[in-house]
Amino acid sequence: MTLEIRGLLVDDEAPNTPIIRGSMDLEFEDIGMKVGWTVLPDATSARKTIRDSPPFDFAIVDYGLGEGQQSGIAVVEAIRARGGNTYVLVITGLGNKYPNFRDEALRAGADDAVIRFVLNMGRQGGMTFRALANRIRLHLARKRDFDGLKVTFTDGDLALESTLHTIGSPNPPGVDSVAIGKSIVRSLAIDCLAPNYRPDATTLAVSYLASGRSGAHVCRVDHMEGRSITSYVLKIGLDRRALEFELSANERALHLLGAGDLVGFSGQIRTHRTSGYHAVAARLATGAVTLAEWLSGPPGRQAESVADILFGAQLTKLFEPGQRETRSFAEWLVATPVLRLRLRETLNLYEEILAAVWGSEEQASDEAEHREILSAFVDQGALPGGRKPEGKTVFIDAFGDLHSTNVLVYPSPDSRPVLVDASMYGPNHWAVDAARLVVDLVLSVRRAGAAPLQWSDTAEVSAYLDGLCAPARSVQPAINADPVDAFVGQVVDKLPSYVRAEALQMTTEQWHWQWHAALAKELIRQGTRAGLSGSRAVAALIAAVRQLTFAADAFDRIDYTGHVRETRPPACVRNRVDQQDWPSNPAIPAQRADGDREPSSREPEGLSDG
């Protein structure tokens, strides 16, 4: 089907117009378009026509329109004052006479400006008549659907609407920010995914994929041509430098992890000129969903298998000898100024609630004491009791921002996971990836819905968080009927083998206290982020204090060689045994007649005291 468009040609030299019209008609015909031309010789008649006519689809304007006449700049200004979506190219055959014509044209609102000879001869980096026709077609496609190109947005998707509203804001009252956001995303999606679309068969279907935790918005785009469907991730952000950094990090991670395990962003960063947004795209498997969405499905899903593939086969590559280095504990434990400020603000926001909770515990303690524990940790890297670990720990080239929306699960029979957006890839503590994902699942995915909005949820979540280590789970193993619980349990139980604890030359207690400290740091980080419900934020901070207490106890059990120097159970295990009424798992292993507890058959994997 041929698309009819309207073109304006303003040139005072009559012999030039047939060349331009004929060349453009030929190129437009090849891409399924036909032009209805309006040809005028001067700025005055052009301005009147522009004022009295609907906006043109494109305009080619000569810069110099004769002695004593207004220049083509007046025509460009009239087009922009008229409004609409006109693509404007300014040309001149007198580049030596008008050396600044391009700068003037672009300032007036032209999309581009070239020397006439260069356009006619097809030079200057591909600015041929064919290239010009394609630019005009792409320019028009960014704003409206054609019979051959449509861009759709999922109806009724509140998360997508929220993303579009954010991208399209701010605006004065009464302006539809969602519509503006759609226009921006539409333009970027076409530029990234369909710059050379077929004029008779292309649809781009935009849907929500993930929240923009790293500062960018992440959408899913299904590119459909006839019966063929290809899915993409489209990452959109205002900070081009940040996107360039993320692309570089993603390329380094892709080199290590491989294309089968990490979605690689491809192509150039595209820019929406008027809004300042930038975007880059990466190909996905059709039908892939986020880990958060997949785990929110019905019971019976092979959550343990997905955890094994993700940590035991994919991320374990990050622990290869060449990826390791040692850094000081202070470099790992001391928080950034941003996190320290967020913690202070969150503690002040929930001060009364935290005081009530801490005051009602079996061993009631002062709220100020707990604040001091948290503050000393983020400010100085100190554990409770003023303990400041000295020496070195192991850093790896970690994924860096592993959460439940940048792990996707393919709809294949084995439900294989794939990573996306390794924008934070780089040196980090060996426990950061596992701690970040586990805490994210507990705070944002597990028991989602109405539960996080209820303060009664706080006690259950904080108690659940207390048991996120293998020794504690070994005395009170959970029944993992829920997919989220099954996934989290598998990660926690098998983490020592996932992270190659023995290869990292860590004893049980060295691994143990660092894992609790990593959980505490992640609970503070995620518990203070914007958008988390109040009940989950309070649960995170309560659990962070306990994790720091567990870390300090485990740290105190180590002698100078790194081996355990006392035989009593660690604090996390004693706490687990004492939680008789833990909602998710109230059962306590049976007692022997002599009062000794039946030994657990579940021991932490991959650990040794020697």
Side-chain angles (χ1 to χ4, degrees):
M1 181 177 293
T2 300
L3 175 69
E4 295 187 1
I5 61 175
R6 298 173 60 246
L8 173 65
L9 175 58
V10 184
D11 197 324
D12 64 324
E13 297 185 23
N16 292 329
T17 57
I19 298 173
I20 295 174
R21 286 184 58 177
S23 300
M24 293 301 296
D25 282 342
L26 180 63
E27 303 301 343
F28 276 126
E29 183 179 348
D30 284 347
I31 58 175
M33 305 176 84
K34 181 179 180 180
V35 182
W37 289 96
T38 296
V39 181
L40 299 169
D42 57 70
T44 302
S45 59
R47 290 171 60 200
K48 184 178 185 302
T49 300
I50 292 166
R51 182 195 66 191
D52 298 337
S53 304
F56 289 91
D57 293 308
F58 73 95
I60 301 174
V61 182
D62 187 14
Y63 178 84
L65 293 174
E67 296 294 334
Q69 298 290 325
Q70 289 180 307
S71 73
I73 297 301
V75 179
V76 176
E77 291 172 343
I79 291 171
R80 292 300 175 232
R82 178 68 176 81
N85 181 41
T86 305
Y87 180 92
V88 180
L89 175 71
V90 175
I91 61 175
T92 184
L94 304 172
N96 293 333
K97 183 178 180 180
Y98 307 119
N100 298 320
F101 89 99
R102 176 176 170 81
D103 291 339
E104 290 185 47
L106 295 180
R107 281 197 301 269
D111 293 278
D112 210 341
V114 298
I115 302 295
R116 186 194 304 273
F117 173 77
V118 172
L119 178 63
N120 290 348
M121 299 301 294
R123 297 181 180 176
Q124 190 173 326
M127 177 50 94
T128 61
F129 283 113
R130 167 154 291 189
L132 177 58
N134 277 318
R135 286 191 184 189
I136 292 169
R137 179 182 73 157
L138 190 59
H139 179 82
L140 297 175
R142 295 186 187 115
K143 295 292 183 180
R144 72 186 196 202
D145 286 338
F146 299 153
D147 287 335
L149 175 64
K150 290 182 170 58
V151 180
T152 64
F153 295 85
T154 305
D155 291 332
D157 187 337
L158 187 58
L160 178 61
E161 286 191 19
S162 177
T163 298
L164 295 171
H165 185 277
T166 301
I167 292 174
S169 298
N171 291 295
V175 176
D176 189 346
S177 295
V178 172
I180 295 174
K182 284 184 177 180
S183 176
I184 295 170
V185 173
R186 174 193 179 91
S187 175
L188 291 170
I190 290 174
D191 285 356
C192 288
L193 302 176
N196 301 309
Y197 67 89
R198 291 168 52 191
D200 60 344
T202 301
T203 298
L204 300 178
V206 181
S207 58
Y208 176 79
L209 183 61
S211 58
R213 296 189 186 182
S214 60
H217 305 282
V218 186
C219 297
R220 173 196 175 116
V221 182
D222 292 322
H223 183 290
M224 295 175 276
E225 289 189 357
R227 296 182 179 180
S228 173
I229 302 177
T230 307
S231 300
Y232 294 87
V233 169
L234 186 68
K235 189 166 189 178
I236 304 169
L238 282 170
D239 190 338
R240 182 183 180 91
R241 181 174 173 272
L243 277 182
E244 289 172 345
F245 175 84
E246 293 177 7
L247 275 177
S248 176
N250 211 80
E251 288 174 2
R252 296 195 306 273
L254 185 63
H255 179 74
L256 177 64
L257 295 173
D261 295 332
L262 174 64
V263 173
F265 285 92
S266 58
Q268 299 178 341
I269 296 175
R270 303 295 183 178
T271 300
H272 187 264
R273 191 173 64 182
T274 57
S275 71
Y277 272 100
H278 312 277
V280 66
R283 186 168 178 172
L284 281 180
T286 302
V289 298
T290 66
L291 178 64
E293 184 179 350
W294 186 81
L295 288 175
S296 298
R301 300 198 162 203
Q302 300 301 312
E304 294 94 339
S305 174
V306 171
D308 279 340
I309 295 171
L310 178 63
F311 284 97
Q314 296 172 334
L315 292 175
T316 192
K317 300 172 188 175
L318 304 176
F319 292 84
E320 296 289 345
Q323 309 305 123
R324 307 175 200 158
E325 60 180 299
T326 58
R327 296 197 182 186
S328 68
F329 282 117
E331 189 171 352
W332 164 46
L333 293 175
V334 177
T336 65
V338 173
L339 182 55
R340 287 150 61 187
L341 178 60
R342 277 171 37 189
L343 174 62
R344 183 185 307 169
E345 292 175 342
T346 306
L347 286 171
N348 291 338
L349 179 63
Y350 299 113
E351 180 176 9
E352 294 183 3
I353 298 170
L354 287 166
V357 172
W358 281 322
S360 66
E361 292 178 341
E362 182 177 349
Q363 295 179 340
S365 55
D366 193 281
E367 185 259 348
E369 177 184 343
H370 291 82
R371 289 178 68 107
E372 177 58 29
I373 289 174
L374 295 172
S375 298
F377 179 65
V378 299
D379 292 344
Q380 308 166 33
L383 300 177
R387 306 164 182 84
K388 295 183 69 172
E390 297 180 356
K392 302 285 187 177
T393 185
V394 179
F395 271 47
I396 63 167
D397 283 338
F399 191 84
D401 193 27
L402 190 67
H403 53 77
S404 57
T405 55
N406 62 14
V407 178
L408 306 180
V409 181
Y410 285 173
S412 56
D414 59 352
S415 299
R416 181 176 177 82
V418 63
L419 296 154
V420 62
D421 187 14
S423 56
M424 302 296 289
Y425 173 78
N428 216 321
H429 188 261
W430 60 265
V432 69
D433 287 336
R436 189 157 295 181
L437 180 56
V438 165
V439 170
D440 174 62
L441 287 171
V442 176
L443 295 183
S444 301
V445 181
R446 182 177 180 269
R447 292 181 49 164
L453 305 179
Q454 302 171 6
W455 288 107
S456 58
D457 176 68
T458 301
E460 194 278 339
V461 173
S462 61
Y464 183 88
L465 289 164
D466 287 352
L468 295 184
C469 77
R473 282 176 56 86
S474 69
V475 299
Q476 200 176 50
I479 301 173
N480 298 323
D482 179 83
V484 176
D485 289 347
F487 185 95
V488 170
Q490 186 77 350
V491 174
V492 171
D493 290 341
K494 298 188 68 175
L495 189 63
S497 62
Y498 288 159
V499 303
R500 304 185 182 183
E502 291 185 339
L504 298 183
Q505 297 183 337
M506 290 187 297
T507 65
T508 301
E509 297 304 322
Q510 288 174 325
W511 170 88
H512 191 197
W513 85 259
Q514 290 185 47
W515 172 242
H516 282 299
L519 286 174
K521 188 170 184 179
E522 204 52 47
L523 284 164
I524 295 170
R525 176 182 172 272
Q526 296 190 40
T528 59
R529 67 176 172 83
L532 188 67
S533 69
S535 65
R536 293 286 166 98
V538 169
L541 296 183
I542 293 171
V545 171
R546 290 205 188 107
Q547 293 296 333
L548 289 173
T549 303
F550 300 158
D553 175 83
F555 182 77
D556 283 345
R557 295 163 55 84
I558 305 173
D559 65 15
Y560 72 95
T561 65
H563 299 122
V564 64
R565 63 185 177 193
E566 61 176 284
T567 58
R568 66 182 181 129
C572 57
V573 174
R574 300 196 304 271
N575 176 78
R576 194 70 165 163
V577 172
D578 291 341
Q579 287 179 346
Q580 299 287 343
D581 298 321
W582 185 46
S584 296
N585 184 24
I588 298 293
Q591 300 288 323
R592 291 184 180 183
D594 58 5
D596 293 330
R597 185 170 303 283
E598 189 72 36
S600 170
S601 61
R602 297 180 59 182
E603 295 296 333
E605 297 185 31
L607 299 178
S608 72
D609 287 333

